[in-house]
Amino acid sequence: MQLTINTAGTLKSKPDETNLGFGTVFTDHMFNMDYSVEKGWHNPRIDPYAAIPMDPSTMMLHYGQGVFEGLKAYRTEASGVQLFRPLDNFNRLNRSSRLLCIPEHDAAFALDALKQLLTLEKDWVPSQPGTSLYIRPTIVAMDAFLGVRASFTYRFFIILSPVGAYYPEGFNPVKIMVSEDHVRAVRGGVGEAKTPGNYAASLLAGDKAHEEGYTQVLWLDGVEQKYIEEVGSMNIFFVIDGEIVTPMLSGSILPGITRNSVIQLARSWGLNVSERKISIDEVLETQASGKLSEIFGSGTAAVVSPVGELKYGDRIVTIGDGNVGPVAQRLFDAIQDIQYGRVEDPLGWVETVC
Ligand SMILES: Cc1ncc(COP(=O)(O)O)c(C=O)c1O
């Protein structure tokens, strides 16, 4: 397949890099590719950023048959642009697609197209500390049809958005609240896919947590509501007696690329990491006995997000001394240093774009 490039006639003015938010500003161009049963994935192209016309009956709008990804491009000190484990994102997009009955794409081709798009848009990659260019690959069902079945046509697109630092006021712990009324996902469902319905299903619990002054929801498993799964839209880690513990991938947990990076990096430092079931009772018991020193989330947006306080029913507990713990801090620094090219890339995770 040959990528066609259609450049925009006029370019937008770039936003103020010192005042970037998240997900509000988009670059001049986007990647598009279509799928039909007869042609498979075809017509890959870079187009000017534009709306996608949709019939009101478009299946994505009614049945949520769609998948997406989230990764970032980073500006290095030498003014290059680089990606962090990008093929893992396109491979995960294919795994999500399989669960949603969406035809798989050629991940290596999609990554190459992304690199060409980034090369065209390189001036949009911000250089202020902590900023990056957020990348959102998405596939949506395009048949104009009402009725529950898999669509016969799809649109794959990639859009880019310059984003500010996740911690503009410094790397501070958040407060999290266990959701007892709602679950995010169940085993056998689509929790391990990055699909819009999972995020829609998380909104009500998120609103309830915010009303009580908590930043993120701590999700328990959907069957027994006993075992910990994720925190907000992040994977979760505990430091218990010096060992790093994270819930094993059960089918209802998104297999985070940052999660995997945390595990590999910590093991490379000689730390013990265990992927196993961990119950909310164990967390509270180890907190009470002084063995639980840290909790932190992991994800592309925040890299690492330390937890200072946890609420479960009537119990409110402080984690460690309520401040950022040493394991969270070391992982945050090490992963960011790799992403921004400030250190050697010890595990071969970085791909240079331009
Ligand atoms: C539900 C959920 N869990 C975990 C993650 C973390 O995944 P990653 O580290 O690949 O960003 C994300 C973000 O993509 C997510 O949406």
Side-chain angles (χ1 to χ4, degrees), residues 40-196:
W41 285 111
H42 64 279
N43 195 14
R45 59 206 183 273
I46 290 171
D47 288 327
Y49 186 96
I52 300 174
M54 281 190 187
D55 190 278
S57 70
T58 299
M59 290 185 78
M60 174 65 209
L61 302 176
H62 300 269
Y63 309 111
Q65 196 198 7
V67 289
F68 66 99
E69 268 305 323
L71 66 159
K72 287 173 169 178
Y74 305 89
R75 171 81 62 195
T76 65
E77 267 160 31
S79 208
V81 174
Q82 62 183 34
L83 293 162
F84 183 73
R85 307 186 66 178
L87 195 57
D88 293 20
N89 288 92
F90 289 106
N91 286 334
R92 186 170 67 186
L93 190 63
N94 268 334
R95 282 206 304 280
S96 298
S97 292
R98 283 201 288 279
L99 273 175
L100 272 292
C101 292
I102 293 171
E104 289 180 47
H105 64 280
D106 178 341
F109 179 85
L111 174 54
D112 193 60
L114 169 63
K115 286 181 178 170
Q116 295 199 49
L117 176 62
L118 286 169
T119 304
L120 186 65
E121 303 288 64
K122 62 177 183 295
D123 292 347
W124 283 91
V125 184
S127 53
Q128 288 292 312
T131 62
S132 56
L133 187 67
Y134 187 75
I135 301 163
R136 171 54 57 88
T138 307
I139 304 176
V140 294
M142 288 297 286
D143 279 11
F145 173 73
L146 293 185
V148 180
R149 61 157 171 78
S151 180
F152 298 130
T153 57
Y154 297 87
R155 167 69 66 88
F156 183 158
F157 61 89
I158 305 177
I159 53 175
L160 309 174
S161 173
V163 297
Y166 194 85
Y167 297 105
E169 278 116 42
F171 186 47
N172 289 318
V174 296
K175 292 162 61 173
I176 64 172
M177 187 180 123
V178 176
S179 173
E180 292 177 273
D181 300 338
H182 307 279
V183 296
R184 193 190 78 91
V186 291
R187 230 171 27 244
V190 292
E192 63 182 347
K194 225 167 148 56
T195 186

Side-chain angles (χ1 to χ4, degrees), residues 92 184 194 199 230 233-235 254 256-258 298-300:
R92 186 170 67 186
R184 193 190 78 91
K194 225 167 148 56
Y199 299 83
E230 302 203 43
S233 295
M234 287 182 286
N235 296 113
L254 190 86
I257 292 157
T258 321
S298 74
T300 296

